[in-house]
């Protein structure tokens, strides 16, 4: 499923949160538990400077499972954005559904990406997804994106077929910036 290039539309990079931008701490509900991977801020700045809009898309089944509240999730999201720097991330989309539900938003389903594309006039044909799990790569494919698997988080042991594999987000950014747009 791809979306035709719209006049004036912008390319984007969709980023998984846990295991891609920050260490995966299993159901993060505490802003103090955030630990950014090295090089993340510089990588995001380079992609932003190159004209990409940046979006976090994240499954947060801890909400649906009752492990933490949406308010706790929002506190983590706010602290992450503060640490990254105001305005670096254009928007965050999250899915609170637990696995096993019929969900169009939960990755690998593409609806969070498609919603962002509608909300922000994005050209998905010129866009990328970066994540550390096969479901991130599958989500990207389902939305018509080019895909990059990072070896941080679960990426060192995932079995999938991304367009590119990168050591971390900094390496992924370099790969993305070399591609034609």
């Amino acid at each position: 499923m791809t979306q035709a290039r719209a006049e004036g539309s912008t390319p984007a990079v969709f980023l998984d949160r846990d295991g891609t931008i920050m260490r995966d701490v299993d159901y993060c509900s505490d802003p103090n538990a955030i630990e950014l991977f090295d090089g993340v801020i510089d990588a995001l700045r380079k992609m932003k400077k190159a004209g990409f809009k940046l979006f976090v898309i994240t499954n947060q089944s801890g909400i649906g499972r009752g492990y933490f509240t949406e308010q706790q999730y929002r506190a983590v999201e706010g602290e992450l954005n503060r640490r990254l720097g105001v305005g670096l991330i254009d928007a965050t989309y999250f899915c609170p559904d637990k696995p096993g539900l019929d969900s169009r938003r939960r990755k690998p389903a593409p609806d969070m990406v498609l919603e962002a594309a509608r909300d922000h006039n994005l050209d998905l044909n010129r866009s990328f997804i970066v994540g550390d799990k096969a479901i991130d790569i599958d989500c990207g494919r389902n939305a018509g994106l080019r895909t990059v698997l990072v070896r941080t988080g679960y990426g060192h042991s995932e079995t999938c077929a991304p367009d590119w594999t990168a050591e971390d987000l900094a390496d992924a950014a370099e790969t993305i910036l070399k591609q034609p747009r």
Side-chain angles (χ1 to χ4, degrees):
M1 164 191 309
T2 61
Q3 178 175 325
R5 183 175 179 169
E7 186 74 27
S9 62
T10 306
V13 178
F14 295 90
L15 303 144
D16 174 56
R17 188 187 83 178
D18 303 318
T20 302
I21 294 174
M22 61 184 246
R23 289 206 189 285
D24 191 332
V25 295
D26 290 328
Y27 305 107
C28 185
S29 62
D30 180 359
N32 294 317
I34 294 171
E35 184 182 342
L36 296 176
F37 287 117
D38 290 340
V40 163
I41 295 171
D42 287 339
L44 295 174
R45 285 181 181 155
K46 285 178 183 178
M47 291 186 288
K48 190 77 154 182
K49 185 177 178 183
F52 287 99
K53 287 191 176 182
L54 303 176
F55 298 91
V56 173
I57 58 167
T58 180
N59 287 344
Q60 292 297 319
S61 69
I63 298 168
R65 296 171 196 248
Y67 297 163
F68 54 88
T69 65
E70 184 175 334
Q71 182 178 2
Q72 289 171 300
Y73 162 76
R74 295 282 185 195
V76 171
E77 177 186 339
E79 176 62 14
L80 176 63
N81 285 329
R82 187 192 71 73
R83 290 187 192 186
L84 293 174
V86 176
L88 196 54
I89 300 297
D90 290 282
T92 298
Y93 293 81
F94 75 99
C95 179
D97 299 340
K98 59 185 177 180
L101 295 179
D102 184 23
S103 174
R104 295 291 303 147
R105 288 182 60 82
R106 182 174 171 76
K107 293 183 286 182
D111 278 12
M112 288 190 284
V113 170
L114 300 177
E115 183 180 343
R118 286 188 303 271
D119 291 350
H120 298 273
N121 191 32
L122 304 176
D123 182 349
L124 297 183
N125 290 323
R126 298 188 300 144
S127 298
F128 298 81
I129 189 167
V130 181
D132 70 313
K133 293 182 180 174
I135 61 169
D136 300 316
I137 302 309
D138 291 343
C139 175
R141 292 226 188 280
N142 291 335
L145 305 173
R146 292 175 279 176
T147 60
V148 184
L149 179 76
V150 290
R151 293 188 188 273
T152 51
Y154 290 93
H156 62 280
S157 61
E158 285 291 277
T159 302
C160 58
D163 294 309
W164 298 275
T165 300
E167 290 304 311
D168 55 21
L169 188 56
D171 189 29
E174 294 302 320
T175 297
I176 289 168
L177 294 173
K178 290 177 185 173
Q179 303 313 310
R181 283 181 273 148

